[in-house]
C-alpha cells in the first residue's frame, strides 16, 4: 500500500533553513499539502505535479514566513489552471488562509490533522497533529537539527514558546516532522533539548545581572555569546537575546505576566 505521507524539500538552503524547507504531502485522492514552502520554480512545479489525479486539494499552513508560505499565491494560480480552482487554505499567516475552528479536523485519505497552537516562533504559529501516526508536523516550532529555533519576533514570545513546548509534550508522539532537517524519532528528547537551551539562556541572563547589576546591551551580548556567533547572524542573535531579556523582566518565579 502506498504511504499517505511524502516529503518534498525546496532548494532554498540558508542559515535559518538548513538544506531547505520541507513540504509534506498527505494523501493522494484527498490531498493535503502542508507548508507549501517558498516561491521557488522547481518546488512549485513539483507540488503542482503532486496533485495529478487528486480529487481534492487543501493547503495547510503552520505560519506565514516566506520559506513556508511564500509560494501560496502562485500555487493557487497554478492549481486553478490545472483544474483545482477551489483549493481550501487552512492555518496561519496568509491572507487566503482561514484559521481552523476549535476541534476542527482536516481530513486526507489516510488520516486527519488537528491544529495545535504553538506560538513563539510567530504569534499565530500552528503545529499539526496526525493522531493515527502519532506524528506532529512542527513547522518551525522545533527543527531537525540542533537545539534552538528563532524566538524573537514579538513581546512575550519566549513565554509563549515555553508554554507551547509543554503543550506539545502532552501529545502522544512517536515522531516529529520539522519544517527543516530530518525527522525527530525521539520527540520528547528533542522537546527537552529545545527547552533546555532556552532555559539555559534565561538562567545566564539572570545570573549575569545578579553578578553585574545594570549589565545590558553590547556588554551583556559579549558576556553571553563572546565570539561564537556565526557570520551574518549577529543581528538575529541580538534580537534573540533581547527577547530573553524581556522574558526575564516580565516573569518572576514562573509566573508569566504577559498572559501566556
Amino acid at each position: 500500500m502506498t504511504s499517505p505521507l511524502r516529503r518534498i524539500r525546496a532548494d532554498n538552503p540558508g542559515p535559518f533553513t538548513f538544506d531547505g524547507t520541507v513540504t509534506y504531502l498527505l494523501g493522494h485522492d484527498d490531498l493535503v499539502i502542508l507548508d507549501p514552502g517558498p516561491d521557488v520554480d522547481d518546488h512549485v512545479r513539483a507540488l503542482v505535479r503532486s496533485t495529478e489525479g487528486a480529487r481534492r486539494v487543501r493547503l495547510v499552513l503552520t505560519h506565514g514566513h516566506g520559506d513556508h508560505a511564500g509560494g501560496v499565491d502562485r500555487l493557487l494560480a497554478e492549481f486553478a489552471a490545472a483544474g483545482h480552482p477551489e483549493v481550501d487554505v487552512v492555518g496561519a499567516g496568509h491572507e487566503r488562509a482561514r484559521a481552523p475552528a476549535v476541534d476542527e479536523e482536516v481530513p486526507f485519505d489516510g488520516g486527519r490533522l488537528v491544529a495545535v497552537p504553538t506560538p513563539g516562533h510567530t504569534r499565530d504559529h500552528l503545529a499539526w497533529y496526525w493522531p493515527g501516526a502519532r506524528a506532529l508536523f512542527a513547522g518551525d516550532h522545533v527543527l531537525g537539527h540542533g537545539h534552538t529555533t528563532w524566538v524573537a519576533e514579538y513581546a512575550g514570545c519566549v513565554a509563549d514558546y515555553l508554554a507551547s513546548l509543554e503543550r506539545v509534550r502532552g501529545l502522544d508522539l512517536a515522531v516529529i516532522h520539522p519544517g527543516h532537517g530530518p525527522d525527530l524519532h525521539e520527540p520528547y528528547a528533542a522537546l527537552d533539548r529545545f527547552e533546555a537551551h532556552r532555559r539555559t539562556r534565561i538562567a545566564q541572563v539572570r545570573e549575569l545581572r545578579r553578578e553585574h547589576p545594570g549589565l545590558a546591551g553590547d556588554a551583556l551580548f559579549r558576556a553571553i555569546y563572546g565570539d561564537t556567533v556565526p557570520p551574518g547572524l549577529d543581528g538575529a542573535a541580538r534580537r534573540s537575546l533581547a527577547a530573553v531579556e524581556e522574558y526575564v523582566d516580565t516573569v518572576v518565579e514562573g509566573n508569566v505576566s504577559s498572559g501566556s
Side-chain angles (χ1 to χ4, degrees), residues 122-178:
T122 64
R123 193 184 298 274
D124 58 358
H125 194 285
L126 296 170
W128 291 88
Y129 181 49
W130 179 6
R134 299 168 59 214
L136 185 75
F137 297 90
D140 281 351
H141 185 57
V142 295
L143 307 179
H145 297 287
H147 51 234
T148 187
T149 188
W150 170 250
V151 180
E153 192 158 293
Y154 62 93
C157 61
V158 172
D160 282 353
Y161 184 67
L162 294 172
S164 294
L165 288 170
E166 190 62 26
R167 182 176 298 117
V168 168
R169 194 177 278 111
L171 299 172
D172 179 20
L173 294 175
V175 63
I176 293 176
H177 301 294

Side-chain angles (χ1 to χ4, degrees), residues 6-141:
R6 294 164 285 161
R7 50 185 281 156
I8 299 177
R9 178 171 51 81
D11 185 17
N12 62 326
F16 291 102
T17 59
F18 300 121
D19 57 354
T21 302
V22 180
T23 295
Y24 294 94
L25 309 176
L26 296 103
H28 297 277
D29 179 58
D30 194 356
L31 175 67
V32 162
I33 299 177
L34 194 148
D35 273 358
D39 188 358
V40 172
D41 284 345
D42 288 347
H43 191 64
V44 170
R45 285 197 292 268
L47 295 182
V48 172
R49 287 194 300 271
S50 77
T51 69
E52 294 176 359
R55 173 181 52 84
R56 183 173 185 178
V57 178
R58 296 179 183 86
L59 302 185
V60 173
L61 306 179
T62 61
H63 65 296
H65 285 167
D67 59 319
H68 289 257
V72 168
D73 290 333
R74 186 168 158 205
L75 271 172
L76 291 175
E78 295 281 352
F79 289 156
H84 296 289
E86 301 296 331
V87 175
D88 193 19
V89 185
V90 186
H94 190 276
E95 61 182 9
R96 295 286 297 274
R98 62 174 182 82
V102 175
D103 296 328
E104 178 182 354
E105 297 179 352
V106 178
F108 58 94
D109 44 80
R112 58 190 173 88
L113 295 175
V114 181
V116 181
T118 48
H121 180 72
T122 64
R123 193 184 298 274
D124 58 358
H125 194 285
L126 296 170
W128 291 88
Y129 181 49
W130 179 6
R134 299 168 59 214
L136 185 75
F137 297 90
D140 281 351
H141 185 57

